[in-house]
Amino acid sequence: MMNNVGKGAIFVATYSRAEDLDRSLNSIVAARGKRETPLIVIHQQGYSQVSETIKKWRKHIQILVETETQGKTALQNINLNSLLGREIAFSWLNSDWCFGIEDDVQVSIDSIDFVEHMFDKYHRNIFFRGVNLGSKLPYRVGKLPAYAKLSFGMHGQASMITRQTWSHFNISKLRSKSDLMGLDAMMEHFTKTGFMCTPYISRYLDNGWNGTHSSKDPNDPHYQLIRNSFYDGQDPKPIEYRLEKFDTNWRKDSSKFSYVKIIPILIRNKVGHYRFLIRKYTNSQH
């Protein structure tokens, strides 16, 4: 039984993908159920079909922000809208955690339940950074409850971060770098110094081949692996999530959390982060 699920918020930013957004909101509303967790939608205007989709789901949206284009590039707009959504969650609503979901992503029926369980279990741990909802490991019934603590970055497609994680960052600096890299990459050097709870079986399905930075092929191995991992149960029984030690196959730098690794990871990722910034700046000058 959970004792402290915290005060949460769910956030989606959207622009041009009406059909994807419709599927995403449908899955979010189903996962939220009867909870009073507010849903925040940042709508960057420009597509009438997206406006119609939002109108369809408007009664389920507690905060809707309509915005004009703010950035010079698609990446910058995505970052600025993502920052705004989390600022609303943490600064306006005083949330303990914020669950960010891209508009081309569907989440499992138990995704919010998983987030709440992880917050309840680890919110007092100073190394707890949040929750990732993705996996590329194959679906196995016996592994449905399993999760690991990984020193890894934030999955931009669907992830939760805590207030403590958010408060670590200077938001003005994040805005100033919004044209250089994705928000998840900007936050990675800190999230790796602690742990993100990650399920063995994916709690999100990525339909992002219409996006800005991934493959345009829906049959790309990236999407196929997530598809083969996704939990699509419609009416699950309560799941008793259990901690296991396992490696994911997202990237080589994803590793099991260990207290003895914290200092080396902190140094390595700080150095790597600034090297990345220098390379990006140097390339932008040519």
Side-chain angles (χ1 to χ4, degrees):
M1 182 176 181
M2 292 184 288
N3 298 314
N4 186 354
V5 300
K7 181 180 179 182
I10 305 162
F11 154 67
V12 178
T14 188
Y15 175 50
S16 63
R17 299 178 286 195
E19 292 183 4
D20 288 334
L21 177 64
D22 186 58
R23 285 190 290 266
S24 181
L25 291 176
N26 181 61
S27 69
I28 292 168
V29 169
R32 185 173 61 173
K34 296 181 179 179
R35 293 175 176 85
E36 295 183 355
T37 310
L39 173 59
I40 305 161
V41 173
I42 309 297
H43 176 205
Q44 182 182 321
Q45 296 177 320
Y47 286 81
S48 60
Q49 300 96 322
V50 174
S51 298
E52 289 301 312
T53 299
I54 290 175
K55 187 183 298 183
K56 171 183 174 181
W57 293 99
R58 184 63 182 88
K59 67 179 181 180
H60 300 283
I61 300 169
Q62 280 61 57
I63 297 179
L64 174 63
V65 177
E66 303 276 4
T67 179
E68 299 291 338
T69 300
Q70 301 296 316
K72 297 179 180 179
T73 64
L75 173 63
Q76 191 170 30
N77 279 307
I78 290 169
N79 286 335
L80 292 173
N81 292 336
S82 296
L83 286 168
L84 177 57
R86 291 174 174 88
E87 283 189 89
I88 292 171
F90 291 116
S91 299
W92 296 15
L93 302 181
N94 197 33
S95 300
D96 297 309
W97 53 264
C98 179
F99 182 12
I101 304 167
E102 288 194 356
D103 64 347
D104 58 356
V105 165
Q106 296 165 250
V107 294
S108 291
I109 192 74
D110 76 317
S111 57
I112 298 174
D113 189 55
F114 181 77
V115 165
E116 290 182 339
H117 271 82
M118 296 303 102
F119 184 87
D120 177 47
K121 187 166 185 177
Y122 296 111
H123 68 276
R124 293 186 181 88
N125 190 315
I126 63 172
F127 296 106
F128 177 52
R129 306 293 184 243
V131 176
N132 280 324
L133 273 292
S135 173
K136 291 183 179 179
L137 298 174
Y139 182 94
R140 295 177 184 172
V141 174
K143 291 292 186 180
L144 184 60
Y147 72 93
K149 294 192 294 186
L150 300 177
S151 294
F152 192 44
M154 182 177 75
H155 292 181
Q157 293 90 342
S159 58
M160 176 273 269
I161 59 171
T162 66
R163 170 184 290 280
Q164 190 278 334
T165 300
W166 180 253
S167 66
H168 172 82
F169 295 96
N170 182 314
I171 309 308
S172 295
K173 286 186 177 180
L174 291 179
R175 287 197 194 96
S176 69
K177 299 175 184 176
S178 60
D179 61 337
L180 296 178
M181 68 186 88
L183 181 61
D184 47 353
M186 286 190 271
M187 301 177 77
E188 188 169 81
H189 66 281
F190 176 67
T191 57
K192 283 185 176 182
T193 63
F195 64 87
M196 299 285 285
C197 293
T198 301
Y200 184 98
I201 294 172
S202 178
R203 262 61 186 174
Y204 78 70
L205 181 63
D206 188 359
N207 300 308
W209 46 88
N210 292 316
T212 58
H213 60 277
S214 298
S215 171
K216 302 298 183 182
D217 179 8
N219 297 311
D220 183 86
H222 167 76
Y223 300 114
Q224 191 62 47
L225 287 169
I226 295 175
R227 199 175 294 128
N228 292 339
S229 179
F230 181 58
Y231 171 56
D232 61 354
Q234 297 301 308
D235 187 23
K237 297 178 181 178
I239 298 172
E240 295 295 328
Y241 300 105
R242 63 173 186 265
L243 176 63
E244 293 187 6
K245 292 183 178 181
F246 59 80
D247 291 312
T248 69
N249 56 351
W250 280 99
R251 286 192 332 217
K252 292 180 180 179
D253 58 348
S254 173
S255 61
K256 291 187 281 287
F257 173 72
S258 168
Y259 289 101
V260 299
K261 294 180 180 178
I262 291 172
I263 298 301
I265 286 176
L266 177 61
I267 295 171
R268 185 171 67 247
N269 286 290
K270 275 287 188 182
V271 172
H273 178 69
Y274 287 113
R275 282 179 176 173
F276 179 83
L277 287 178
I278 291 169
R279 287 199 304 273
K280 291 287 286 188
Y281 178 77
T282 303
N283 291 338
S284 69
Q285 302 304 303
H286 291 89

